[in-house]
Amino acid sequence: MSGLRGKTFYRCTVCNDIHYGNIAPKICPTCISKDAYVHIAEREAGVILKFLKIEEGKIFIENEVLKTFEDFTKSKDFTLNPDKECIELIVQGVLEHEEQYGLKYCPCRMTSGNFDEDLSLICPCNFKIQNNWKEIGECWCSLFIKRKE
Amino acid sequence: MQPLHKKERIMMAEKKQIIMFWGRRCPHCRAMEPIVQKLEEEEGIKFERLEVWENKENADKMRALADIIKPACGGYLGTPAFYDPNRNVALCGEKPYETLRDWALAKIDE
């Protein structure tokens, strides 16, 4: 969803900083991570910032979520998993979780019940800190995989 | 861990009940289902499957085991997570048949 003069929301996948603007910041002003922002819907921003309830505002539909994930991989050292069935299952999962619980929680990790703690489970997450990424070059759910040299 | 003979494995499996926490949109849980079924059929291990996203009670059971499951899942309540109540240990993620079998049949002191 685009807002005033084409502005829209972006979320830092490392620290969940929210940016409202025409383009995603190259460097996160909060955690200084580079190229870590992903395009998100207004409701996702509102729920993270705690001024919207989970039933308020529109969320992205499946194709829009997939596009944000694809865009997120551009010029990065990782890409989407080529297994379309796997991607479809994960996208359906994150959308179901957003519908039911307010945020795009990872379908392969359960929430703790603590809102702030569970912000780390929003997809895309900060998967480069995970052992899975370090050991096999995949995020925990295998949505994002290391690009081959 | 020493490999077990089939007879010994079956005897141990008769006493075994493993809890499998899984999510219905988790691709790794889906990939593990045929392996779990094969272990039930060939080794007699009983798996209690608890879906955690649709069933709040199951989610709470998983959260109550966070101290055991999180270290096995890289610091999260990851799925699929296998929990052995007898040994109070967990195994997490997509695993080969042999890995899950040997883990599930391990003795208490192993």
Side-chain angles (χ1 to χ4, degrees), chain B residues 81-92:
Chain B
F82 300 91
Y83 173 67
D84 181 343
N86 292 326
R87 292 188 297 141
N88 198 30
V89 293
L91 181 72
C92 201

Side-chain angles (χ1 to χ4, degrees), chain A residues 22-48:
Chain A
N22 292 104
I23 55 167
K26 193 80 178 157
I27 306 283
C28 173
T30 303
C31 70
I32 324 296
S33 295
K34 194 180 170 189
D35 294 326
Y37 279 85
V38 64
H39 183 204
I40 60 169
E42 184 181 0
R43 186 172 91 174
E44 184 172 334
V47 173
I48 291 170

Side-chain angles (χ1 to χ4, degrees), chain B residues 6-19 39-40 43-48 83-88 103-108:
Chain B
K6 176 123 186 170
K7 196 175 172 185
E8 195 180 357
R9 290 207 304 263
I10 290 170
M11 280 173 64
M12 289 182 69
E14 283 170 356
K15 300 171 192 169
K16 279 285 183 178
Q17 173 93 19
I18 302 293
I19 295 172
L39 279 170
E40 287 180 319
E43 304 289 344
I45 303 167
K46 293 178 179 67
F47 285 88
E48 186 185 3
Y83 173 67
D84 181 343
N86 292 326
R87 292 188 297 141
N88 198 30
W103 176 85
L105 294 177
K107 293 173 186 168
I108 285 175

Side-chain angles (χ1 to χ4, degrees), chain A:
Chain A
M1 179 186 291
S2 294
L4 195 64
R5 294 185 298 278
K7 285 185 179 182
T8 188
F9 290 92
Y10 298 89
R11 174 178 67 85
C12 172
T13 53
V14 175
C15 73
N16 287 308
D17 182 81
I18 302 295
H19 174 75
Y20 180 60
N22 292 104
I23 55 167
K26 193 80 178 157
I27 306 283
C28 173
T30 303
C31 70
I32 324 296
S33 295
K34 194 180 170 189
D35 294 326
Y37 279 85
V38 64
H39 183 204
I40 60 169
E42 184 181 0
R43 186 172 91 174
E44 184 172 334
V47 173
I48 291 170
L49 295 171
K50 301 178 183 174
F51 65 74
L52 281 183
K53 293 177 183 170
I54 64 165
E55 66 274 16
E56 294 175 340
K58 286 183 184 171
I59 57 174
F60 287 153
I61 59 172
E62 195 168 323
N63 286 345
E64 291 170 321
V65 170
L66 195 53
K67 186 176 182 314
T68 65
F69 289 170
E70 281 167 353
D71 290 347
F72 181 59
T73 67
K74 282 179 185 167
S75 308
K76 306 272 175 62
D77 61 347
F78 56 87
T79 185
L80 282 178
N81 190 327
D83 182 342
K84 300 287 180 199
E85 202 177 317
C86 173
I87 291 182
E88 193 178 321
L89 192 63
I90 293 168
V91 170
Q92 286 168 355
V94 296
L95 280 172
E96 276 182 13
H97 294 165
E98 186 164 34
E99 192 67 48
Q100 291 174 34
Y101 307 105
L103 290 169
K104 290 203 289 291
Y105 293 122
C106 175
C108 303
R109 287 173 296 169
M110 189 59 210
T111 53
S112 69
N114 179 305
F115 180 86
D116 292 322
E117 187 182 327
D118 292 337
L119 290 176
S120 66
L121 304 181
I122 305 170
C123 185
C125 68
N126 184 20
F127 56 84
K128 288 194 171 181
I129 62 168
Q130 296 169 3
N131 288 341
N132 252 37
W133 174 260
K134 292 168 190 165
E135 289 163 11
I136 60 171
E138 295 183 3
C139 72
W140 178 260
C141 66
S142 304
L143 176 63
F144 299 106
I145 61 171
K146 206 166 206 168
R147 219 180 269 278
K148 287 178 183 157
E149 298 292 327

